Structure formats: structure tokens, C-alpha cells
Amino acid sequence: MQWESVIGLELHVQLATRSKIFSGAANRFGARANTQACAVDLGLPGVLPVANEEVIRMAVKFGLAVDANIAKRSVFARKNYFYPDLPKGYQISQYELPIVSAGRIQIRDNGTVREIGITRAHLEEDAGKSVHEGFPGFTGIDLNRAGAPLIEIVSEPELRSAGEAVAYMKKIHSLVRYLEISDGNMQEGSFRCDANVSVRPEGETRLGTRAEIKNINSFRFVEQAINYEISRQIEHIEAGNEVVQETRLFDPDKNETRSMRTKEEANDYRYFPDPDLPPVVIDEDYIETVREQLPELPEQKRRRFMEAYGLSEYDSGYLVASKDTADYFEAAVTVAPGQAKPVANWIMGELGAALNRDNLGISAGKVSADMLAGLLMRIADGTISNNIAKQVFEAMWQGAGSADDIIEKQGLKQVTDTGEIGRLVDEAIAENSAQVQQYRDSPPEKRAKLIGYFVGQVMKKSRGKANPKQVNELLTERLT
């Protein structure tokens, strides 16, 4: 039997406000445990929550970016459950009347473009954090995160593979960073994912029983967890068993999911409107004011890069996936006009490899956009070859200075003197008589490949500094 997977994602995005969603306590990562939770966050008697207007603005901003409906009236509700890191015994969230609904976003996976629906994006407060390290036999509770503002983005169950799920997650991650509503830092918990996974026979329209995998905090783990869960459910059904609706956790060390608890239904949480918070009411003027504040979004930027710089769909898609990368590209092209394609190639090639090797983001890289542009200008004007440029780039990465400084100090200027190159070409021909004869005995269509041997010999003699174009021209002339 052929099976189809059905996947929906719930993305919990911490909003980058200075204060929390319902209090004036600092919304900041990394402080000493339990120093950023005030009486409101703890739900102490006699305190009242007040909605943070900036949180509302950020939610509207996201809704506009995904072409969603923005509710003119939305309501906060109490979601009741008992857990050690939830001091009030309930979480303030939104249920029946969320602020954002019915959005959509395009994803690309393996060359296929699909539109995925966004069911809703609602506002809520975060819970605290249970800490196990350093407390043998006990659980520590850090309430600094309690009351931090979240927007929970819920997709339609329209994703059909782990690859599509990752593509969707990356697209939302990129979007919230472009909108500057979240830093998207997955290591710090600013961007977390719950994945709902089920399987059904191919052609079936009814949804299968789903399992929810909680709190996955990397793109790689999302892909691994979903692939494991799909295989687990198929094997379970084919063995004659039924899938149980439950919440599961992913163990990256064992690359498997394991049961955590039976999945709750909405009525288990006893949702009801929060009596301490009035409805959020906004009008069309407010929405239009926020719309005017929207930046250029990734899809708009991708199209502009293709039109303005003549880049391919792949190149422009790679560059705009990260706002920092897109900004770096444009800064480099400003300094090196006409070099858009080489800039893109170096960002995706040498620069990308160096960043991956040192586990750095592009904004923390050791070669700035201006420095890369300076290097590419030296390739463009013939001062150095592409091969020498890689040597110069590595020296720049190690802190040896600008491209011009390194070229000058290390004597790396390309040899363009025709007489000098001609002498090296003659030496290479004289020292390789057998290869010369082979070249001359070969048909024209095979000579282009054979001439590469002689180019290599000349470049070795010049220590890589001979102009490759001149070398090719002189070799073709003198070998014929």
C-alpha cells in the first residue's frame, strides 16, 4: 500500500519587544534565573494584566505579510492547565477570535512551488522553563520567560513531506526576521516548532490520527523527527495496530520520537475569555498605518534581484533567504557595480564555506562586504586571477588586511607581460614534446581538453600569477 503523510506545523515565535506581553518586566534572554518575572507574570493576587500595544502591531505586521485576515476585534482567553513552570495555573492566549487568520505563503522544495495555508496566528504569553541540569533528583524553575510575548503560527495540514515542512519553517523564520518582529534565535528558544504528523492511504481524503511532536528547535531535527514519525506510524498500522493521538518528544541522540502524554483536546483546557483583559479593537486606519511600515519582503526582494541584477531564480532565492545575506550582497554590489553575479557566486561559494567552517553567521564573518567587493574588483581589472583570489580571500579571513594590502605585500599581481608569458609558454612546449605531438595529432574537438595540461604547466612556472586568458591564447597560437 502507498501512504501519504499529512503534516501541519505550529510555530511559536517570541516577539522582540522590550517588555513582556502583559507587564512591564524586561523581555530579554540570558539574565540570572528568576530576576525578570514581576507580580503580573506570576499572577499574584491583586494584579491586572495590560496588553502591550507593540505586540498587537507586530501581529498585524505579520498578518499583512502573509496576506491574511486581520480581525478588527480579537479576544484573549485563559487556557487552563497545571504545570510547574506555569505559576498562574493558566496561560493567557487566544482561542475562538485570534488576531490573524486565513493567510498563505509560498514555499519551494526540490524545484516545486506550493502555496501553504496559514490557519491562524494568535498571540499568547510564554510559560517559564523547567531546568534539570545542576539539580540531581529535582527540577528547577526559571520564570524569566513567563509572560514573554509569543505569536503562534498554525499552518493548514497541507505539508506532504519533511522537506516541505522544513521549507515552510525556513520561510516563516526568514519572514519574521525581515519584519524585525523576532530575532528567530532557535538556540535561545525564540523560534520553536510543534509538528503534527499523520499518515493515510494514498487517495484517501480523511485525515489519519495524528501525533504531535513538541518543542523541536532546529531545522535538521524537524526533518529527522517528521521522517521518523512517518515511518513509525506506517509500520504501526501495517502491523495491524492503531495510531494513538498523543504528544511525543524527539530524542536527537537516538533519532526517535517517544511518547510523552495522551494528546489533549481543546475542551481539556477549559478555554474562556479572560475577564481581566478587554477585547483588542483596531480599525482600518490602524491596519493601513502598519501596512505602510512593511519592509521589502523576501519574495519582492527575490524578484527585484532577478530583474535589477540579472540573477537566476536559484541565486536570488539563496540570497534573500536571509535578510543579513541579502543586505551583505547589496552592500558589496554598491561598492563593486557590475559585479552582481561574481558577488553572488562568492557568497554562495568561498564565503559560505568559510562561514560554515567557523560556524558563523554572515554578519559575524571576518570578510566584510566592502572587503569582498575590493577583492572582486581586483579580479575584474586583471590584477589577480580567480585562483590567486582564493588565496587572497583566505588571507583576508585570517586578518591580513584588505585585498590590495595582501596583493602588494605578497607580490601576487598577475603577470600580464606578453613577453614574459611567451617565454614561459615556450619553456612548457619545449619540455613536453610528447604531449605537443599528441595535441597536434588530435582532432580540433579534443584539443581544448588537451591544452589544459599545458596551461597547468605554465601556471606552475608562474606560481599561479600568469594571466590565464593570455596563456590560453599564446598556447593555441604556438601549438598549432
Side-chain angles (χ1 to χ4, degrees):
M1 181 182 291
Q2 296 296 310
W3 296 91
E4 177 182 62
S5 55
V6 179
I7 303 157
L9 298 186
E10 300 170 12
L11 302 179
H12 302 262
V13 181
Q14 185 169 319
L15 298 174
T17 55
R18 290 195 299 271
S19 57
K20 293 184 179 179
I21 186 169
F22 299 119
S23 80
N27 180 34
R28 187 174 62 246
F29 180 82
R32 189 164 55 86
N34 296 308
T35 59
Q36 290 182 181
C38 70
V40 175
D41 307 322
L42 302 180
L44 297 182
V47 298
L48 291 173
V50 177
N52 183 338
E53 195 275 333
E54 182 65 6
V55 170
I56 309 301
R57 187 187 70 84
M58 288 182 172
V60 172
K61 205 173 179 182
F62 175 79
L64 292 171
V66 295
D67 198 22
N69 294 330
I70 311 297
K72 302 290 179 57
R73 181 180 183 275
S74 59
V75 173
F76 284 108
R78 290 187 181 180
K79 179 181 180 181
N80 296 272
Y81 65 96
F82 299 95
Y83 212 68
D85 57 16
L86 191 69
K88 298 196 293 269
Y90 62 86
Q91 176 189 31
I92 302 177
S93 182
Q94 292 186 315
Y95 180 50
E96 290 179 328
L97 296 172
I99 192 164
V100 173
S101 61
R104 60 180 184 266
I105 198 163
Q106 271 193 355
I107 64 167
R108 287 174 172 79
D109 181 49
N110 291 327
T112 301
V113 178
R114 291 191 61 217
E115 190 172 271
I116 304 300
I118 294 174
T119 309
R120 56 191 281 141
H122 61 263
L123 291 168
E124 63 185 19
E125 61 179 346
D126 209 345
K129 183 179 180 182
S130 297
V131 182
H132 304 286
E133 294 180 11
F135 300 95
F138 295 90
T139 297
I141 301 296
D142 179 6
L143 294 174
N144 279 349
R145 203 171 66 183
L150 298 178
I151 184 167
E152 181 175 340
I153 303 160
V154 182
S155 80
E156 292 286 338
E158 294 174 348
L159 300 160
R160 293 292 176 262
S161 69
E164 286 192 354
V166 171
Y168 170 87
M169 192 175 170
K170 286 183 175 179
K171 192 67 176 285
I172 297 291
H173 184 264
S174 173
L175 184 60
V176 298
R177 286 177 56 82
Y178 266 87
L179 293 170
E180 297 181 338
I181 63 174
S182 176
D183 62 19
N185 192 315
M186 299 174 92
Q187 289 73 30
E188 295 179 0
S190 297
F191 193 90
R192 314 192 295 272
C193 174
D194 297 344
N196 292 281
V197 181
S198 66
V199 297
R200 64 187 177 188
E202 211 168 66
E204 176 64 72
T205 56
R206 289 180 301 175
L207 296 174
T209 303
R210 76 183 188 276
E212 182 181 30
I213 313 167
K214 294 288 285 185
N215 287 331
I216 320 173
N217 67 348
S218 84
F219 300 123
R220 181 165 59 92
F221 291 165
V222 165
E223 185 168 22
Q224 291 174 350
I226 291 174
N227 279 330
Y228 176 87
E229 187 59 25
I230 290 169
S231 298
R232 184 192 73 84
Q233 291 186 23
I234 291 172
E235 289 173 9
H236 200 66
I237 296 169
E238 290 182 343
N241 302 310
E242 292 187 358
V243 174
V244 177
Q245 184 169 327
E246 62 182 342
T247 298
R248 299 179 70 87
L249 291 177
F250 177 63
D251 184 338
D253 296 326
K254 296 181 179 179
N255 191 27
E256 65 181 22
T257 64
R258 63 174 184 269
S259 183
M260 179 183 176
R261 61 176 180 264
T262 302
K263 173 63 180 164
E264 300 89 346
E265 298 287 355
N267 57 5
D268 294 326
Y269 291 117
R270 296 181 295 113
Y271 281 99
F272 62 87
D274 191 297
D276 293 333
L277 285 162
V280 175
V281 178
I282 56 178
D283 57 22
E284 197 62 39
D285 287 345
Y286 182 86
I287 293 171
E288 288 307 309
T289 299
V290 176
R291 193 190 303 276
E292 291 170 5
Q293 298 168 359
L294 288 178
E296 183 181 41
L297 299 177
E299 279 301 309
Q300 297 167 332
K301 195 179 289 288
R302 183 184 64 81
R303 289 193 294 270
R304 180 169 64 80
F305 279 14
M306 292 173 68
E307 294 167 5
Y309 300 115
L311 297 179
S312 69
E313 185 171 330
Y314 175 84
D315 289 356
S316 57
Y318 179 97
L319 294 172
V320 306
S322 158
K323 183 177 185 298
D324 290 342
T325 302
D327 290 346
Y328 184 103
F329 167 78
E330 294 219 81
V333 171
T334 300
V335 177
Q339 298 297 306
K341 179 57 177 170
V343 170
N345 288 345
W346 276 75
I347 289 174
M348 294 186 289
E350 294 296 315
L351 178 63
L355 292 170
N356 288 336
R357 182 187 67 211
D358 290 2
N359 195 27
L360 295 172
I362 196 166
S363 57
K366 301 174 185 178
V367 173
S368 69
D370 286 358
M371 291 169 72
L372 182 65
L375 174 64
L376 298 187
M377 292 299 286
R378 296 293 79 80
I379 300 172
D381 65 16
T383 301
I384 55 174
S385 67
N386 264 302
N387 283 336
I388 291 294
K390 293 177 182 179
Q391 180 182 331
V392 175
F393 177 87
E394 186 56 34
M396 291 164 63
W397 191 265
Q398 299 304 326
S402 69
D404 288 340
D405 291 340
I406 295 163
I407 293 166
E408 186 65 34
K409 289 175 186 174
Q410 298 186 19
L412 297 175
K413 283 187 179 179
Q414 193 165 233
V415 176
T416 56
D417 179 79
T418 304
E420 176 62 15
I421 295 174
R423 183 182 66 79
L424 298 175
V425 165
D426 289 340
E427 284 181 12
I429 291 173
E431 293 169 3
N432 296 278
S433 55
Q435 286 81 1
V436 170
Q437 194 58 50
Q438 182 186 4
Y439 176 88
R440 288 173 175 164
D441 291 343
S442 298
E445 63 270 17
K446 290 190 177 180
R447 288 182 175 181
K449 186 175 181 181
L450 291 170
I451 205 169
Y453 172 79
F454 293 98
V455 171
Q457 296 301 306
V458 175
M459 296 307 288
K460 189 185 297 182
K461 288 176 176 292
S462 71
R463 291 182 296 164
K465 294 193 286 185
N467 183 293
K469 184 180 178 184
Q470 289 177 273
V471 171
N472 268 282
E473 289 172 352
L474 287 172
L475 279 167
T476 303
E477 176 189 314
R478 297 184 185 188
L479 284 170
T480 304

Short mmCIF file of all heavy atoms in Angstrom, two decimals, residues 396-416:
data_model
loop_
_atom_site.label_atom_id
_atom_site.label_comp_id
_atom_site.label_asym_id
_atom_site.label_seq_id
_atom_site.Cartn_x
_atom_site.Cartn_y
_atom_site.Cartn_z
N MET A 396 42.63 37.35 3.87
CA MET A 396 41.71 38.36 4.43
C MET A 396 40.95 37.78 5.62
O MET A 396 40.77 38.43 6.64
CB MET A 396 40.72 38.82 3.34
CG MET A 396 41.36 39.65 2.23
SD MET A 396 40.29 39.79 0.77
CE MET A 396 38.88 40.66 1.42
N TRP A 397 40.50 36.54 5.48
CA TRP A 397 39.75 35.88 6.54
C TRP A 397 40.59 35.75 7.81
O TRP A 397 40.08 35.82 8.92
CB TRP A 397 39.27 34.51 6.06
CG TRP A 397 38.29 33.86 6.97
CD1 TRP A 397 38.55 32.95 7.96
CD2 TRP A 397 36.87 34.05 7.00
NE1 TRP A 397 37.39 32.57 8.60
CE2 TRP A 397 36.34 33.23 8.03
CE3 TRP A 397 35.99 34.84 6.26
CZ2 TRP A 397 34.98 33.18 8.33
CZ3 TRP A 397 34.64 34.79 6.55
CH2 TRP A 397 34.15 33.97 7.58
N GLN A 398 41.89 35.55 7.61
CA GLN A 398 42.80 35.40 8.75
C GLN A 398 43.26 36.74 9.33
O GLN A 398 44.08 36.79 10.25
CB GLN A 398 44.02 34.57 8.35
CG GLN A 398 43.70 33.16 7.89
CD GLN A 398 42.92 32.35 8.91
OE1 GLN A 398 43.11 32.51 10.12
NE2 GLN A 398 42.02 31.50 8.44
N GLY A 399 42.73 37.84 8.75
CA GLY A 399 43.00 39.15 9.32
C GLY A 399 44.23 39.84 8.77
O GLY A 399 44.78 40.74 9.43
N ALA A 400 44.67 39.47 7.56
CA ALA A 400 45.89 40.05 6.98
C ALA A 400 45.68 41.40 6.32
O ALA A 400 46.63 41.99 5.81
CB ALA A 400 46.51 39.06 5.98
N GLY A 401 44.45 41.89 6.30
CA GLY A 401 44.19 43.20 5.72
C GLY A 401 43.29 43.13 4.50
O GLY A 401 42.64 42.11 4.24
N SER A 402 43.26 44.23 3.74
CA SER A 402 42.41 44.29 2.55
C SER A 402 43.06 43.52 1.40
O SER A 402 44.24 43.14 1.46
CB SER A 402 42.21 45.74 2.13
OG SER A 402 43.44 46.28 1.64
N ALA A 403 42.30 43.32 0.34
CA ALA A 403 42.84 42.62 -0.84
C ALA A 403 44.04 43.35 -1.40
O ALA A 403 45.07 42.73 -1.72
CB ALA A 403 41.74 42.49 -1.89
N ASP A 404 43.96 44.67 -1.51
CA ASP A 404 45.08 45.44 -2.06
C ASP A 404 46.33 45.31 -1.21
O ASP A 404 47.44 45.16 -1.73
CB ASP A 404 44.69 46.92 -2.20
CG ASP A 404 43.70 47.16 -3.33
OD1 ASP A 404 43.61 46.29 -4.23
OD2 ASP A 404 43.02 48.20 -3.32
N ASP A 405 46.15 45.34 0.12
CA ASP A 405 47.30 45.19 1.03
C ASP A 405 47.98 43.84 0.83
O ASP A 405 49.21 43.75 0.73
CB ASP A 405 46.86 45.31 2.49
CG ASP A 405 46.41 46.72 2.85
OD1 ASP A 405 46.79 47.66 2.12
OD2 ASP A 405 45.66 46.87 3.84
N ILE A 406 47.17 42.79 0.76
CA ILE A 406 47.71 41.43 0.65
C ILE A 406 48.39 41.22 -0.70
O ILE A 406 49.48 40.63 -0.78
CB ILE A 406 46.58 40.40 0.87
CG1 ILE A 406 46.06 40.50 2.32
CG2 ILE A 406 47.06 38.98 0.59
CD1 ILE A 406 44.72 39.85 2.53
N ILE A 407 47.75 41.69 -1.76
CA ILE A 407 48.33 41.54 -3.11
C ILE A 407 49.69 42.23 -3.17
O ILE A 407 50.67 41.68 -3.71
CB ILE A 407 47.37 42.13 -4.17
CG1 ILE A 407 46.10 41.27 -4.25
CG2 ILE A 407 48.05 42.21 -5.53
CD1 ILE A 407 44.96 41.93 -5.00
N GLU A 408 49.77 43.42 -2.58
CA GLU A 408 51.02 44.18 -2.61
C GLU A 408 52.10 43.52 -1.75
O GLU A 408 53.24 43.32 -2.20
CB GLU A 408 50.76 45.60 -2.12
CG GLU A 408 51.94 46.55 -2.25
CD GLU A 408 52.33 46.81 -3.69
OE1 GLU A 408 51.42 46.85 -4.56
OE2 GLU A 408 53.55 46.96 -3.96
N LYS A 409 51.74 43.16 -0.52
CA LYS A 409 52.73 42.59 0.41
C LYS A 409 53.27 41.25 -0.08
O LYS A 409 54.44 40.93 0.10
CB LYS A 409 52.12 42.42 1.80
CG LYS A 409 51.86 43.72 2.54
CD LYS A 409 51.13 43.45 3.85
CE LYS A 409 50.72 44.73 4.55
NZ LYS A 409 49.89 44.47 5.75
N GLN A 410 52.39 40.43 -0.68
CA GLN A 410 52.78 39.08 -1.07
C GLN A 410 53.18 38.97 -2.53
O GLN A 410 53.49 37.88 -3.02
CB GLN A 410 51.65 38.09 -0.75
CG GLN A 410 51.32 38.01 0.73
CD GLN A 410 50.30 36.93 1.05
OE1 GLN A 410 50.09 36.02 0.26
NE2 GLN A 410 49.68 37.04 2.22
N GLY A 411 53.19 40.11 -3.24
CA GLY A 411 53.62 40.09 -4.64
C GLY A 411 52.77 39.20 -5.51
O GLY A 411 53.29 38.40 -6.31
N LEU A 412 51.46 39.36 -5.41
CA LEU A 412 50.55 38.43 -6.09
C LEU A 412 49.97 39.00 -7.38
O LEU A 412 49.10 38.38 -7.99
CB LEU A 412 49.40 38.06 -5.15
CG LEU A 412 49.81 37.31 -3.87
CD1 LEU A 412 48.60 37.11 -2.97
CD2 LEU A 412 50.43 35.97 -4.22
N LYS A 413 50.44 40.16 -7.82
CA LYS A 413 49.87 40.74 -9.03
C LYS A 413 50.06 39.80 -10.21
O LYS A 413 51.11 39.18 -10.39
CB LYS A 413 50.53 42.09 -9.34
CG LYS A 413 50.03 43.22 -8.47
CD LYS A 413 50.58 44.57 -8.92
CE LYS A 413 50.03 45.69 -8.04
NZ LYS A 413 50.58 47.00 -8.44
N GLN A 414 49.03 39.73 -11.01
CA GLN A 414 49.03 38.85 -12.16
C GLN A 414 50.06 39.29 -13.20
O GLN A 414 50.23 40.49 -13.45
CB GLN A 414 47.62 38.86 -12.78
CG GLN A 414 47.36 37.77 -13.78
CD GLN A 414 45.87 37.61 -14.06
OE1 GLN A 414 45.34 36.54 -13.96
NE2 GLN A 414 45.21 38.69 -14.39
N VAL A 415 50.77 38.33 -13.79
CA VAL A 415 51.72 38.62 -14.85
C VAL A 415 50.95 38.79 -16.15
O VAL A 415 50.27 37.86 -16.60
CB VAL A 415 52.75 37.47 -15.01
CG1 VAL A 415 53.67 37.75 -16.19
CG2 VAL A 415 53.55 37.30 -13.73
N THR A 416 51.02 39.97 -16.73
CA THR A 416 50.30 40.23 -17.98
C THR A 416 51.26 40.62 -19.11
O THR A 416 50.82 40.88 -20.22
CB THR A 416 49.27 41.37 -17.79
OG1 THR A 416 49.95 42.54 -17.30
CG2 THR A 416 48.19 40.96 -16.80
#
